[in-house]
Amino acid sequence: MAELTYRQAVARGIAQEMDRDPTVYFIGEDVAAAGGVFKTTEGLQDRFGPERVRDTPISEEAITGAVMGAAMNGLRPIAEIMFSDFFATCWDIVANQIAKARYMTDGQITLPLVIRAANGGGARFGAQHSQAMENWAMAIPGLKVVAPSNAHDVVGLLAASVRDDDPVVFLEQKSLYASRQEVPEGEIVGELGKAAVVREGADITVVALAAMVPRALEAAETLAGEGIDVEVVDLRSLVPLDVTTVLNSVVKTSRMVTVEENPRLCGWGAEVTSIVTEEAFYDLDAPTLRITTPHIPLPSADTLEDLAMPSAETIASELRRVGNG
Amino acid sequence: MAELTYRQAVARGIAQEMDRDPTVYFIGEDVAAAGGVFKTTEGLQDRFGPERVRDTPISEEAITGAVMGAAMNGLRPIAEIMFSDFFATCWDIVANQIAKARYMTDGQITLPLVIRAANGGGARFGAQHSQAMENWAMAIPGLKVVAPSNAHDVVGLLAASVRDDDPVVFLEQKSLYASRQEVPEGEIVGELGKAAVVREGADITVVALAAMVPRALEAAETLAGEGIDVEVVDLRSLVPLDVTTVLNSVVKTSRMVTVEENPRLCGWGAEVTSIVTEEAFYDLDAPTLRITTPHIPLPSADTLEDLAMPSAETIASELRRVGNG
Amino acid sequence: MTAGADASADTVSIPLDKKLEMYRMMLDARLFEEKAHKLFFEGLVKGTSHLALGQEAVAAGFAAAMRSDDLTFCTYRGHTHTLLRGADMGALMAELLGRGNGICGGKGGSMHLTDVSVGAMGSYAIVGAHLPIAAGAAWAAQARGTGQVSVVFFGDGATNIGAFHEALNLAAVWSLPVVFVCENNLYMEYTPIGAVTAVPNPAADRAGAYGLEGIILDGNDVEAVYSTATAALEHARAGGGPQLIEAKTYRHGGHSRADPGTYRPDEEVQEWLDRDPIPAFRARLEAAGVAAETLDTIEAESDAAVEAATEVARSGPFPDPANLETQVWADGGSSWRN
Amino acid sequence: MTAGADASADTVSIPLDKKLEMYRMMLDARLFEEKAHKLFFEGLVKGTSHLALGQEAVAAGFAAAMRSDDLTFCTYRGHTHTLLRGADMGALMAELLGRGNGICGGKGGSMHLTDVSVGAMGSYAIVGAHLPIAAGAAWAAQARGTGQVSVVFFGDGATNIGAFHEALNLAAVWSLPVVFVCENNLYMEYTPIGAVTAVPNPAADRAGAYGLEGIILDGNDVEAVYSTATAALEHARAGGGPQLIEAKTYRHGGHSRADPGTYRPDEEVQEWLDRDPIPAFRARLEAAGVAAETLDTIEAESDAAVEAATEVARSGPFPDPANLETQVWADGGSSWRN
Ligand SMILES: Cc1ncc(C[n+]2csc(CCOP(=O)(O)OP(=O)(O)O)c2C)c(N)n1
Ligand SMILES: Cc1ncc(C[n+]2csc(CCOP(=O)(O)OP(=O)(O)O)c2C)c(N)n1
Ligand SMILES: [Mg+2]
Ligand SMILES: [Mg+2]
């Protein structure tokens, strides 16, 4: 069992799938010869050759269009969009073309493709390189949306995404790239749409994703010392969404808090909260609570950015408000 | 007092502001010489000349970029994006540039601009010309989002949007263009961020927007005959959001249903529901309910499209489920 | 051939049966769309429809020149392109009418006609988007060594959107087997293309920006189209990389739906009506000795086919409501939760 | 001047004080960025920074030629452009360090330096986006008759994104007073531009697609830049429409942060280091009779200015936490609800 960084897990996941399936190709800006600006794809071109691992121009519409067209014609391509913010430059291809092609053609077109991107804040890159945009993708019917919180899940969920016959937006949390974990050797294949209860607890359900998972866990440890027993659910994928795991937890704890990196409005926390309010209303003993970044663009200065994003401390203090009554 | 269509109200609103303020300019595809594909801007070029009312190439990034740059340098421009779906082709300019410029420069840049678009379904145009995308815009900090439900509000809110110093995404509901209303002569100026209680009622609060407002009203009439007294709130703008009016209504009725045209996930209905659950939890006597389009791209066939979008009938039958207990 | 040259000079000798095939294709397309127009005014075609009346020679010349496994990508003005690759006429007409026996089950409508089984890989309703998608399909063809060529049709207006630029550059850099065909009908929706474009030939004058030759073609001359298409397909298939062709043509009617097209000068419309590709080709065929009856028979057969298709469409069932929520995902459903 | 020609031949006689001003500008920029690089390695510059070391002549030549109310739009590699329009050096350095006295209050950071008061209208971190924005500012200048010109700087890599195409076409069609300046430093982040671009001169070879002349310039020759800039600004100001200029240059270091730039051949790096614009210009000034002491004094003054700015930055306060939620809206706040 080797220690792997979240960053290294990306290359391992891609390599596992390229090894297995010759129709898996991988393209993106600076991903091939240079191994990616986050060093997530080092060694892939050497291993799989310049045909299967290719550098592209700075042309996000061409990149996403290329994988869409290729997926229609026999490949299972993976594209990298360097920072998830840049999805905005190709949102038409992703949200209007890729997401809708199967439905509009009543199933004639199948698009087994993955678009990976570095998502989220914490790297002091400022408002145009730090957005958590998983909610943009979740709002579009026809896109699956995956966001792992640890290296093991990166490998497993990347494999599951590549093998999935539908388009998957795969969001790597850039503030987690340096995090490490023991990951077993050999093939790892996860499952989309399965949340994980990463900490069991009786008093409050905390639903989190990606970088918010370790922070929620840290907050839970703090509260454990104060006699509040927090259960933490790592959603892992937003579409499909494992509602069952969330509802089961809420039935047990009667309290729910969502923790997301998104700016305030219309994030997945609102969606999960609405589902729970509609379907487990009589199980709730207290108002739900959403912890988010305020509804602002993310600032660049480290002190401001830290203040903006939910931290273990702010999560803990919000959880105290919800209490364990 | 003249009868005005929602369509005509657009031209009237623009003309009112162009008349008043020589820095108001208007650009878009086929908007000038031809008066717009929805005939919403007829006569404006004749009246204000080809300098102030201009046709553009099919270049949504250039159009939105142009109004952004112009707003930085002394104009108060209005752009048309023909169908709101096409925002995806310029989402970078709208969501990453326009929305964030003021914050990133700590207030050095002010962007008094309006981007209008025909939004929503009901015209049998299929998945790429029918989206209700107000939630895309609402999720982006730095954008104001307005969506009137009637001709009077079109004029007033368009005027308010042009006079506002912040960027406004102004969504005209294309299925309402032919609707008519008595609208008084003379200047009309509305206010952003003020919801309207368009029907008072004691039993259930229905929160609706744009085309869903007349449908909610129709459902309310049906239920009135069944002894259920429905209050209908027309949000009118999503950002700013008039939370006070919604909460006041919920305190009164103890039940809330949101009706939106968006596909299921992460719409404004989820946002409003989460706010209410968090802030008026103890006032609620029943689970909240969201009525939305299913999480699917919108189909083209008339029978399917009608089935997909919330209708007065489906709203009424959902409201019966919530009851008046 | 470079910008300004006329590709018709290259017309190679085309076998007679190919010529007659193209004649039939143009008639099928013409009569199909005339019928669709009628049905629109009867209120049977809902939503919108964008006719290519007058532009049939481009679709026919290319479809006749393509290999059966080549791939077509077209726009919302795509009835003709989809039909002429071999899609079932009845299923196309039924789609326009929003019927369950439509080619997309009623989910696509006029702007999204698709028949993957004949290589008609979709009609795309957002200007320019399908250019990179077509390039991507060509990339897969190159990677898999299938010998397929992607052919992507788009309007003059599409040459001003970013996706055009990105697709052309990528295709050139990767030497992809894709043929870009601009159908320059002189107008966007209502705006003359010249009013919003920096160069006179919106596609051909930009070929140099991608290291390509600008090829200009009389898009109303089906034989010229066929010859140019044949050469371009061969070039792309042989690994020569992309081609960019600008076909000059004209739509007889308005942009869409009930648009009467009155923003166009009468003389301009008349001039192009006089250059209608179908009578022009018929005259040429007759001059070359084809019997009028042969051509009349083809016309009658097309007409009968369109009538039959119309009947298939009119009598088609409305979509099963259960289909509303199918085919979002590859498992056939639309569920996003457990 | 067309693609392939060397603009330096056009060098007009430049007054000595302008030359010395440009010498000072280049030194200010060089020393400012060398210091920023040091502070990055000290952990004081957080996040990222993209240095233009080696590219100073482009920024200096343009800034020296611009009118004070002209508008500059630049990229994340924008320290130099913003500084040389006249932004306060201390406030710039403080912004890099995330301080409250930074030019954007710490909200922008290295990639978003902006000083509207001197016409530095922003540094844009998403490739290509600022081209249409600059065109829009030029449109307002045209509409209002202010006589301003927009100047927009972008990299070679930006020539392959859609926004480039849309902006150039719109600017040409509307004859906007905007000068597009491609700083071709031969690389995107790590990928050589030639590997992903269909033409050898990524900007100049595309000028024809917009009806423009392709102007190629030695971007390391500050006098050539100044002369070309002067002519382009005059042309645009006089209503002649946009200009597209490709300045060949090179960054001495890596793309950003700690990138050592090892993907570049040593000889190539050396060749360009030998063409460093600052010593080259100094040699020319000395040859023209400027005393070494004059130049040394300028260098010492630049150095002192950078030291002072560094002190302003280092001793600057961290941003007031209360500012986190200010300036989303024109009312100064960020409230989205009542
Ligand atoms: C990105 C985008 N912008 C605008 C439209 C609306 N629109 C549909 S067709 C059209 C005109 C297209 O003109 P052209 O490319 O010349 O094709 P033609 O319709 O003439 O075949 C426009 C503006 C669109 N569908 N997509
Ligand atoms: C749309 C977009 N895609 C990718 C990036 C990531 N990125 C930042 S700089 C850069 C290279 C830009 O190269 P070039 O335009 O030549 O400018 P240079 O950095 O050389 O000055 C890339 C790919 C981005 N910022 N925006
Ligand atoms: Mg056209
Ligand atoms: Mg570069």
Side-chain angles (χ1 to χ4, degrees):
Chain A
M1 194 125 116
E3 247 206 0
L4 215 60
T5 59
Y6 188 100
R7 180 191 318 281
Q8 291 165 325
V10 175
R12 170 141 162 218
I14 297 175
Q16 173 185 301
E17 295 308 298
M18 293 191 76
D19 241 349
R20 184 185 59 81
D21 181 347
T23 68
V24 178
Y25 279 62
F26 173 48
I27 62 172
E29 294 163 14
D30 304 298
V31 299
V37 299
F38 293 106
K39 307 274 169 248
T40 47
T41 58
E42 276 187 340
L44 293 175
Q45 188 179 51
D46 284 348
R47 185 151 159 207
F48 298 103
E51 290 301 316
R52 288 182 68 195
V53 179
R54 271 200 194 184
D55 287 316
T56 67
I58 305 175
S59 305
E60 277 77 5
E61 289 199 291
I63 294 168
T64 49
V67 291
M68 176 174 175
M72 281 185 190
N73 195 24
L75 299 189
R76 292 185 95 82
I78 306 172
E80 175 175 307
I81 294 296
M82 196 184 283
F83 287 74
S84 65
D85 312 68
F86 310 160
F87 270 111
T89 66
C90 54
W91 200 234
D92 177 51
I93 305 286
V94 176
N96 287 337
Q97 310 300 335
I98 289 175
K100 297 176 171 54
R102 183 177 190 88
Y103 187 80
M104 290 193 307
T105 63
D106 202 24
Q108 292 185 61
I109 288 174
T110 303
L111 295 176
L113 63 86
V114 178
I115 308 180
R116 301 170 41 241
N119 189 49
R124 291 75 174 92
F125 284 161
Q128 296 182 337
H129 282 66
S130 305
Q131 288 166 92
M133 51 62 76
E134 59 264 21
N135 51 337
W136 304 7
M138 189 180 187
I140 306 295
L143 298 178
K144 292 183 175 172
V145 186
V146 177
S149 71
N150 61 69
H152 187 280
D153 281 352
V154 166
V155 182
L157 295 178
L158 196 38
S161 299
V162 170
R163 295 178 194 201
D164 197 276
D165 281 336
D166 291 311
V168 178
V169 172
F170 190 88
L171 298 169
E172 299 153 18
Q173 175 60 38
K174 71 173 86 65
S175 70
L176 293 175
Y177 275 137
S179 66
R180 295 175 172 278
Q181 199 187 2
E182 297 283 323
V183 178
E185 311 290 327
E187 187 180 81
I188 301 179
V189 186
E191 189 180 345
L192 304 187
K194 274 260 172 288
V197 177
V198 290
R199 185 185 198 284
E200 302 216 5
D203 295 335
I204 309 178
T205 298
V206 173
V207 183
L209 187 80
M212 295 299 106
V213 174
R215 295 185 189 196
L217 285 170
E218 199 184 322
E221 287 311 316
T222 305
L223 289 201
E226 302 171 18
I228 302 180
D229 190 17
V230 175
E231 174 144 315
V232 179
V233 176
D234 177 355
L235 283 179
R236 302 203 284 198
S237 84
L238 295 175
V239 181
L241 185 69
D242 185 355
V243 173
T244 306
T245 297
V246 173
L247 289 176
N248 285 344
S249 178
V250 172
V251 167
K252 181 169 82 171
T253 63
S254 306
R255 283 173 161 67
M256 186 186 69
V257 175
T258 57
V259 187
E260 59 186 319
E261 224 190 286
N262 304 301
R264 186 70 185 174
L265 298 181
C266 295
W268 59 259
E271 183 59 43
V272 169
T273 299
S274 297
I275 293 170
V276 166
T277 312
E278 200 163 320
E279 302 183 23
F281 184 73
Y282 298 106
D283 293 300
L284 285 172
D285 283 349
T288 54
L289 191 75
R290 283 184 298 150
I291 304 175
T292 69
T293 293
H295 205 59
I296 57 170
L298 220 52
S300 165
D302 51 343
T303 53
L304 290 178
E305 190 181 39
D306 286 341
L307 207 61
M309 292 171 64
S311 65
E313 293 70 41
T314 54
I315 297 168
S317 77
E318 291 291 298
L319 290 179
R320 278 184 205 106
R321 291 211 296 134
V322 176
N324 61 347
Chain B
M1 193 125 116
E3 245 203 4
L4 215 60
T5 58
Y6 188 100
R7 179 192 318 281
Q8 290 166 327
V10 174
R12 169 141 164 219
I14 297 175
Q16 174 184 300
E17 295 308 298
M18 293 191 77
D19 242 348
R20 184 186 57 83
D21 181 347
T23 68
V24 177
Y25 279 61
F26 173 48
I27 61 172
E29 294 162 15
D30 305 297
V31 299
V37 299
F38 293 105
K39 307 273 169 250
T40 48
T41 59
E42 276 186 340
L44 293 174
Q45 188 179 53
D46 283 347
R47 183 150 160 207
F48 299 103
E51 290 302 315
R52 287 180 70 195
V53 179
R54 271 199 194 187
D55 286 315
T56 66
I58 305 175
S59 306
E60 278 75 5
E61 289 198 292
I63 294 168
T64 49
V67 291
M68 176 173 175
M72 283 185 188
N73 195 24
L75 299 189
R76 293 185 95 82
I78 306 173
E80 174 175 307
I81 294 296
M82 195 184 285
F83 287 75
S84 65
D85 312 70
F86 311 160
F87 270 111
T89 67
C90 54
W91 200 234
D92 178 52
I93 305 287
V94 177
N96 287 336
Q97 311 300 335
I98 289 175
K100 296 176 173 53
R102 182 176 192 88
Y103 186 81
M104 291 193 306
T105 63
D106 203 24
Q108 292 184 61
I109 288 174
T110 303
L111 296 177
L113 63 86
V114 177
I115 309 180
R116 302 171 40 242
N119 190 48
R124 291 75 173 91
F125 284 160
Q128 295 183 336
H129 281 66
S130 306
Q131 288 166 94
M133 51 64 76
E134 59 263 22
N135 52 336
W136 304 7
M138 188 180 188
I140 304 295
L143 298 178
K144 293 184 175 171
V145 186
V146 177
S149 70
N150 60 70
H152 187 278
D153 280 353
V154 167
V155 181
L157 295 178
L158 196 39
S161 299
V162 169
R163 295 178 194 201
D164 197 277
D165 281 336
D166 291 310
V168 178
V169 172
F170 189 88
L171 298 170
E172 298 154 19
Q173 175 61 36
K174 71 174 86 66
S175 70
L176 295 176
Y177 275 138
S179 66
R180 296 175 171 278
Q181 200 186 2
E182 297 284 322
V183 178
E185 311 291 326
E187 187 180 80
I188 301 179
V189 186
E191 189 179 344
L192 304 187
K194 274 262 173 286
V197 177
V198 290
R199 185 185 198 285
E200 302 216 6
D203 295 333
I204 309 179
T205 298
V206 173
V207 183
L209 187 80
M212 295 299 106
V213 174
R215 295 185 189 197
L217 285 170
E218 198 185 322
E221 286 312 315
T222 305
L223 289 200
E226 303 171 17
I228 302 180
D229 189 18
V230 175
E231 175 144 314
V232 179
V233 177
D234 177 354
L235 283 178
R236 301 203 284 198
S237 84
L238 294 176
V239 181
L241 184 68
D242 185 354
V243 173
T244 306
T245 297
V246 173
L247 288 176
N248 286 344
S249 179
V250 171
V251 166
K252 181 169 82 170
T253 62
S254 305
R255 284 170 160 69
M256 186 186 68
V257 174
T258 56
V259 188
E260 58 186 319
E261 224 191 287
N262 304 301
R264 185 71 186 174
L265 299 180
C266 294
W268 59 259
E271 183 59 42
V272 169
T273 300
S274 297
I275 293 171
V276 167
T277 312
E278 201 164 319
E279 301 182 24
F281 183 72
Y282 299 105
D283 293 301
L284 286 172
D285 283 349
T288 54
L289 191 75
R290 283 184 297 149
I291 304 175
T292 69
T293 293
H295 205 59
I296 56 170
L298 219 53
S300 166
D302 51 344
T303 53
L304 290 178
E305 190 181 40
D306 286 341
L307 207 61
M309 292 173 63
S311 64
E313 293 70 41
T314 54
I315 298 169
S317 75
E318 291 291 300
L319 290 178
R320 279 185 204 105
R321 289 212 298 133
V322 176
N324 60 347
Chain C
M1 193 171 333
T2 51
D6 183 339
S8 61
D10 278 359
T11 306
V12 294
S13 96
I14 304 172
L16 181 63
D17 58 348
K18 191 54 95 177
K19 289 187 185 178
L20 295 181
E21 182 193 340
M22 295 196 293
Y23 187 66
R24 178 187 304 276
M25 281 177 159
M26 291 201 289
L27 275 168
D28 280 357
R30 173 67 54 93
L31 299 178
F32 178 85
E33 287 207 312
E34 284 178 349
K35 177 66 79 177
H37 199 45
K38 243 182 103 229
L39 296 175
F40 180 83
F41 282 102
E42 280 183 39
L44 282 167
V45 172
K46 320 279 176 173
T48 187
S49 85
H50 300 75
L51 306 179
L53 293 169
Q55 304 186 189
E56 295 89 349
V58 181
F62 267 91
M66 288 169 75
R67 214 167 80 174
S68 67
D69 62 344
D70 286 340
L71 304 170
T72 293
F73 293 82
C74 60
T75 71
Y76 48 87
R77 200 179 302 290
H79 303 164
T80 297
H81 290 292
T82 310
L83 177 67
L84 299 191
R85 286 306 308 283
D88 182 76
M89 199 187 268
L92 291 181
M93 192 66 93
E95 188 67 26
L96 302 192
L97 269 62
R99 302 305 165 103
N101 58 337
I103 196 125
C104 300
K107 287 173 174 167
S110 160
M111 296 206 282
H112 298 294
L113 301 181
T114 302
D115 186 352
V116 168
S117 72
V118 298
M121 303 304 285
S123 307
Y124 296 79
I126 298 193
V127 166
H130 60 315
L131 278 71
I133 299 167
W139 168 46
Q142 182 189 65
R144 296 169 53 226
T146 63
Q148 295 160 294
V149 177
S150 269
V151 181
V152 51
F153 300 92
F154 53 94
D156 42 284
T159 65
N160 290 327
I161 200 160
F164 167 88
H165 182 65
E166 295 192 13
L168 265 291
N169 184 61
L170 189 79
V173 171
W174 288 3
S175 224
L176 299 176
V178 53
V179 180
F180 294 92
V181 184
C182 176
E183 296 184 78
N184 183 353
N185 60 11
L186 314 188
Y187 288 83
M188 295 162 42
E189 298 211 355
Y190 316 134
T191 303
I193 191 66
V196 294
T197 311
V199 288
N201 302 296
D205 292 346
R206 273 127 175 205
Y210 315 103
L212 304 175
E213 270 185 305
I215 300 172
I216 290 179
L217 172 68
D218 176 356
N220 280 20
D221 177 345
V222 71
E223 293 178 290
V225 174
Y226 177 81
S227 303
T228 302
T230 302
L233 288 161
E234 263 170 30
H235 172 98
R237 212 182 307 281
Q243 296 269 285
L244 175 57
I245 295 167
E246 179 171 335
K248 306 283 192 187
T249 185
Y250 202 75
R251 55 171 151 79
H252 288 172
H255 168 71
S256 69
R257 310 183 75 187
D259 169 30
T262 47
Y263 40 85
R264 307 184 304 182
D266 289 343
E267 322 75 70
E268 181 186 282
V269 176
Q270 192 52 52
E271 181 196 319
W272 282 92
L273 285 175
D274 294 344
R275 294 176 53 193
D276 187 332
I278 297 177
F281 190 41
R282 180 174 176 124
R284 235 194 262 171
L285 289 170
E286 288 190 18
V290 178
E293 304 78 68
T294 310
L295 300 172
D296 290 342
T297 305
I298 290 176
E299 181 158 354
E301 285 167 359
S302 284
D303 193 55
V306 169
E307 287 308 323
T310 304
E311 193 38 44
V312 166
R314 274 181 185 277
S315 63
F318 288 101
D320 184 342
N323 288 345
L324 178 67
E325 299 189 42
T326 59
Q327 295 299 355
V328 172
W329 307 123
D331 68 7
S334 65
S335 173
W336 49 268
R337 59 173 285 184
N338 55 9
Chain D
M1 195 171 330
T2 51
D6 183 337
S8 60
D10 278 0
T11 306
V12 295
S13 97
I14 304 171
L16 181 61
D17 57 348
K18 190 55 92 176
K19 291 186 184 178
L20 295 181
E21 182 193 338
M22 294 197 291
Y23 187 67
R24 179 187 304 275
M25 282 178 159
M26 290 203 287
L27 276 167
D28 280 357
R30 173 68 54 93
L31 299 177
F32 178 86
E33 287 207 311
E34 283 178 348
K35 178 65 79 176
H37 199 47
K38 242 182 103 231
L39 296 176
F40 180 84
F41 282 102
E42 281 183 38
L44 281 167
V45 171
K46 319 279 178 174
T48 187
S49 85
H50 301 74
L51 306 179
L53 293 169
Q55 305 186 189
E56 296 89 348
V58 181
F62 267 91
M66 287 168 76
R67 215 168 79 175
S68 67
D69 62 345
D70 286 339
L71 303 171
T72 294
F73 292 82
C74 60
T75 70
Y76 48 87
R77 198 178 304 289
H79 304 163
T80 297
H81 289 293
T82 310
L83 177 67
L84 299 191
R85 286 306 308 283
D88 182 76
M89 197 188 269
L92 290 182
M93 193 67 93
E95 187 66 27
L96 302 192
L97 271 62
R99 301 305 166 100
N101 58 338
I103 197 125
C104 301
K107 287 173 174 168
S110 160
M111 296 207 283
H112 298 293
L113 301 181
T114 303
D115 186 351
V116 168
S117 72
V118 298
M121 303 304 285
S123 307
Y124 296 79
I126 299 195
V127 166
H130 60 314
L131 278 70
I133 300 167
W139 168 44
Q142 182 189 65
R144 294 169 54 225
T146 63
Q148 296 160 294
V149 177
S150 270
V151 182
V152 51
F153 301 93
F154 52 95
D156 42 286
T159 64
N160 291 327
I161 200 161
F164 167 87
H165 181 65
E166 295 192 13
L168 265 291
N169 184 62
L170 189 80
V173 171
W174 287 4
S175 226
L176 299 177
V178 52
V179 180
F180 294 92
V181 185
C182 176
E183 298 183 78
N184 182 353
N185 61 11
L186 314 190
Y187 289 83
M188 294 161 45
E189 298 211 356
Y190 317 134
T191 304
I193 191 65
V196 294
T197 310
V199 288
N201 303 297
D205 291 347
R206 273 124 176 209
Y210 314 104
L212 304 176
E213 271 185 304
I215 300 173
I216 291 178
L217 173 67
D218 177 356
N220 280 21
D221 177 345
V222 71
E223 291 178 290
V225 174
Y226 177 81
S227 303
T228 302
T230 302
L233 289 161
E234 263 170 30
H235 173 98
R237 212 181 308 281
Q243 296 268 284
L244 175 57
I245 294 167
E246 179 171 334
K248 305 282 192 187
T249 184
Y250 202 76
R251 57 172 150 78
H252 287 172
H255 168 71
S256 69
R257 311 182 76 187
D259 169 29
T262 46
Y263 41 84
R264 307 185 304 182
D266 288 343
E267 321 76 72
E268 180 185 282
V269 175
Q270 192 51 54
E271 182 197 317
W272 282 92
L273 285 174
D274 293 345
R275 294 175 54 192
D276 186 332
I278 297 177
F281 189 42
R282 181 175 174 122
R284 235 194 262 171
L285 289 171
E286 288 191 18
V290 179
E293 302 80 68
T294 308
L295 300 171
D296 289 342
T297 304
I298 290 176
E299 181 155 355
E301 285 167 359
S302 283
D303 194 55
V306 169
E307 289 306 324
T310 305
E311 194 38 42
V312 165
R314 275 181 185 275
S315 62
F318 288 102
D320 184 340
N323 289 345
L324 177 66
E325 300 189 42
T326 60
Q327 295 300 353
V328 172
W329 308 122
D331 69 7
S334 65
S335 173
W336 50 269
R337 60 173 284 182
N338 53 11

